[in-house]
Amino acid sequence: MSLDLNVTQADKPAKTLPDAQTVTAVRHWTDRLFSFRVTRPASLRFRSGEFVMIGLPDDNGKPILRAYSIASPNWDDELEFYSIKVPDGPLTSKLQHIKAGDQIILRPKPVGTLVLDALLPGKRLWFLATGTGIAPFASLMRDPESYERFDQIIMLHTCRLGAELEYGRELVADLRHDPLLTELYGEGFANRLLYYPTTTRESSPQMGRITDNLLSGKVFEDLGVPAMNPAEDRAMVCGSLEFNIDAKKVLEGFGLAEGANSAPREFVVEKAFVG
Ligand code: A2P
């Protein structure tokens, strides 16, 4: 599909809409999940973990926009996004068909609560994600500033099926040999990024909901880290509304309190894009 975002009139030269960006790559991970990369507006500055509005024009040319976390780190020349495909979703039913060379609409106004500035200094930074909620952490995991601020980054990701973990699995495997991070932090860097993927509806080496595995202490035991405590641990949460509510309760149970950009504390929460 090639989208025509050009305004062409007989008496005027072709003019591209101001917020159009070009798709550079698309990868389908499962029949429900895909990621894509687009050109980055020269003026766009963002903090890793933030989101922007992206979309496509509808049949009448009116934009259909949704919030998407930027999955690429802020040093990247391009922008990456990770999306679910909802068959009857107003945007994703169309967006899932994009290919390199197509154009999408991107409003260059990044915002969001999953930013390092919203957390007090600490020792370990936990990322808690379900499904496509891993997207903002794909950005933060690749940002050297995360490793400047914390000794360890711990990525907990839960999906129903093993194949749905693949995007995160590949990202972490690549990161452990990342030339920039290895140059900055040495070979020992790989030990500073812990990864704990689990499934809930298909058998895999580690199973169970993040909330249950934290409450039972299984995560701490398996990873060899102390139980979460407000003196050392900071966390960011991104998933469905229900997951966010339950994860917040679990974190509060460990004595952590929710913060914001204007009032940094021990954890922050944001809802993943759905639909
Ligand atoms: P489960 O299979 O036990 O529902 P979904 O696709 O429904 O958004 O779920 C993605 C993953 O998040 C699934 O593994 C699901 O587990 C898990 N999940 C859904 N809701 C919660 C919740 N409230 N607390 C913890 N994990 C959840």
Side-chain angles (χ1 to χ4, degrees), residues 32 84 129-132 157-161 164 198-202 208-212 239-247 250 274:
R32 290 181 61 229
I84 196 159
T130 58
T132 56
H157 189 205
T158 298
C159 293
R160 295 179 182 201
L161 309 173
E164 295 166 345
T198 61
T199 54
T200 50
R201 304 203 189 181
E202 188 177 77
R209 288 181 162 200
I210 287 172
T211 41
D212 294 341
S240 63
L241 192 57
E242 298 73 31
F243 171 70
N244 290 357
I245 291 168
D246 291 347
V250 171
V274 277

Side-chain angles (χ1 to χ4, degrees), residues 5-7 15-22 39-43 63 103-109:
L5 295 186
N6 289 337
V7 181
K15 186 172 159 251
T16 303
L17 290 182
D19 288 337
Q21 295 299 321
T22 305
T39 50
R40 177 174 175 170
S43 62
Q103 295 198 312
I104 65 158
I105 302 165
L106 189 151
R107 302 267 192 255
K109 297 204 171 39

